Amino acid sequence: MPAEIINNVLTYEGCNYLRYRLLLSTLSGKPVRITNIRTKSDDPGLKEYEVSFVRLLDKITNGSRIELNETGTSLYYSPGLLNGGELEHDCNVQRGIGYYLEAVLILAPFCKKAVDIKLKGVTNNTLDPSVDRIKACAVPLLKRFLAGDNEVVLTINKRGAAPLGGGEIKFKCPISRNLRSIQFQNSGMVKRIRGIACGIRVSPAVANRIVESAKGVMLKFLPDVYIHTDHCKGAASGKSPGFGVCLSAETTTEVIFGGEAFSPVMTTNSLPCVPEDIGKEAAMKLVDEIYRNGCVDSPFQPMTAMFMALGRKDVSKVLIGPLTPSMIQFLRDLRDFFGIVFKIKPHKEEDEESEQIVLTCIGTGYTNISKRTL
């Protein structure tokens, strides 16, 4: 549903894209009301992981006002000031840490104090980008927009598979007064493929089997393929068994594409999951991501658009692959909150038209007013 403005408050209906709308509200300082959240569902209102996300926003800001009705079907959120600092949050195990970490990545540069956050929960699942993919693809993207030589650090202390989690990561990000405006239109050629296969509370042989299977696909593509294994046991292995792999392809212009697969949660009626299938699935997803091309890994398209819009009052141009559904809606919501409109132009190659798109916008010149000038 498109946004309506009721009593000077942006009002949306439904639970779709709730996370991005709350992020846009936090950065723009505009309150938002979300109504009719799963009213027709057997289990109406906000899910536990969405409530956990709202709590995380409350921790990272100072003075936010959150109102939730008795049934949880209507949420009013009036953002406070972004504070940051040293934080700790237990993420709900219904979603992966990646669901929460992506939001922290977007907010961290604009906080009053440098963010040093510890997140606990599910590091790898089938639904959200894993912490490995965020480390390989999203962190280098964030560094491109940060001015100066900023040290962004993401460390994985423990891994935790769904459904019980038990994983732990630590993320550090300095604050920035302004973001750069970037010109990023050459995706280059893939020069190497790296990856990490993890086995959590399973036999060490499982990770090796995943590596063999993934390599079998990728070596047909190029020779420089190296996938190392991470066998988790004891205290560093969380509470549930699982296995999976995250692959990343680096190009000559330092663009990084990702592809990953993880074993689903086993139920009594589900078919057994074979490590070889997981390796092949991740390899095919990576090949598909390379085929989509562009200069941004597709799950992080909204993050890129956000940083382009908040950059200096200068033109930013980025080449991306076909727009994902969440990106299309994000661009609409970005217009509602910031009044920013992107120019979207198909990218034409010399011999034929590709499905790639050139995104162009002029930044709002968003300034982190909390950062002290020396």
Side-chain angles (χ1 to χ4, degrees), residues 31-342:
V32 65
R33 178 174 275 111
I34 297 164
T35 60
N36 295 340
I37 301 170
R38 299 187 183 91
T39 43
K40 293 177 182 175
S41 167
D42 295 338
D43 182 17
L46 288 176
K47 298 278 187 206
E48 283 178 35
Y49 67 85
E50 290 164 333
V51 174
S52 177
F53 180 74
V54 173
R55 285 202 185 110
L56 174 63
L57 286 182
D58 192 33
K59 281 180 188 175
I60 211 166
T61 57
N62 192 1
S64 292
R65 197 166 128 236
I66 299 153
E67 292 171 14
L68 196 61
N69 68 352
E70 285 179 14
T71 53
T73 54
S74 176
L75 170 71
Y76 172 77
Y77 175 71
S78 176
L81 292 170
L82 276 165
N83 195 39
E86 204 168 313
L87 303 163
E88 191 172 313
H89 185 68
D90 284 328
C91 305
N92 190 277
V93 290
Q94 290 175 349
R95 295 299 289 259
I97 287 176
Y99 177 83
Y100 302 87
L101 184 57
E102 195 186 339
V104 175
L105 249 73
I106 292 171
L107 296 175
F110 307 107
C111 289
K112 185 178 180 181
K113 302 173 197 156
V115 170
D116 181 358
I117 189 166
K118 190 189 280 183
L119 295 174
K120 296 175 180 178
V122 175
T123 56
N124 302 75
N125 67 1
T126 52
L127 203 57
D128 302 291
S130 68
V131 288
D132 298 294
R133 189 166 186 176
I134 289 175
K135 189 175 183 177
C137 306
V139 170
L141 195 63
L142 172 61
K143 286 180 179 176
R144 274 184 187 271
F145 285 95
L146 291 176
D149 186 26
N150 286 306
E151 197 62 35
V152 182
V153 183
L154 172 58
T155 47
I156 303 162
N157 298 336
K158 296 178 189 173
R159 287 188 184 276
L164 300 176
E168 182 184 296
I169 65 112
K170 203 170 174 74
F171 176 69
K172 288 183 182 179
C173 179
I175 51 174
S176 178
R177 190 158 182 82
N178 295 96
L179 294 181
R180 288 177 182 156
S181 53
I182 66 167
Q183 304 281 327
F184 198 20
Q185 294 179 75
N186 181 10
S187 57
M189 304 292 281
V190 175
K191 62 178 179 179
R192 61 168 159 253
I193 289 170
R194 295 288 178 265
I196 179 163
C198 61
I200 305 167
R201 288 186 174 268
V202 293
S203 163
V206 169
N208 297 332
R209 285 166 64 188
I210 294 173
V211 171
E212 288 300 314
S213 172
K215 271 188 163 183
V217 176
M218 299 318 306
L219 286 171
K220 295 174 187 171
F221 182 59
L222 84 167
D224 190 359
V225 180
Y226 184 77
I227 306 167
H228 71 266
T229 58
D230 181 9
H231 177 61
C232 306
K233 55 184 180 180
S237 65
K239 299 171 184 173
S240 296
F243 51 87
V245 61
C246 176
L247 303 173
S248 56
E250 192 182 329
T251 73
T252 48
T253 54
E254 294 181 6
V255 173
I256 300 168
F257 301 113
E260 61 183 350
F262 199 76
S263 58
V265 177
M266 287 295 168
T267 58
T268 48
N269 300 325
S270 64
L271 291 166
C273 180
V274 184
E276 283 78 5
D277 292 348
I278 294 290
K280 194 173 179 186
E281 185 190 335
M284 295 312 289
K285 281 182 178 173
L286 181 62
V287 170
D288 184 52
E289 194 63 50
I290 293 165
Y291 174 74
R292 289 167 68 91
N293 210 329
C295 296
V296 177
D297 194 24
S298 53
F300 308 113
Q301 285 181 6
M303 184 171 117
T304 309
M306 186 90 234
F307 289 152
M308 286 170 73
L310 298 179
R312 292 198 177 118
K313 287 188 179 177
D314 199 357
V315 177
S316 282
K317 263 189 186 181
V318 176
L319 175 73
I320 62 171
L323 295 174
T324 60
S326 61
M327 175 64 160
I328 293 166
Q329 185 59 45
F330 185 77
L331 292 175
R332 290 175 185 149
D333 293 344
L334 201 55
R335 182 190 58 202
D336 293 341
F337 282 96
F338 283 96
I340 284 266
V341 181
F342 280 75

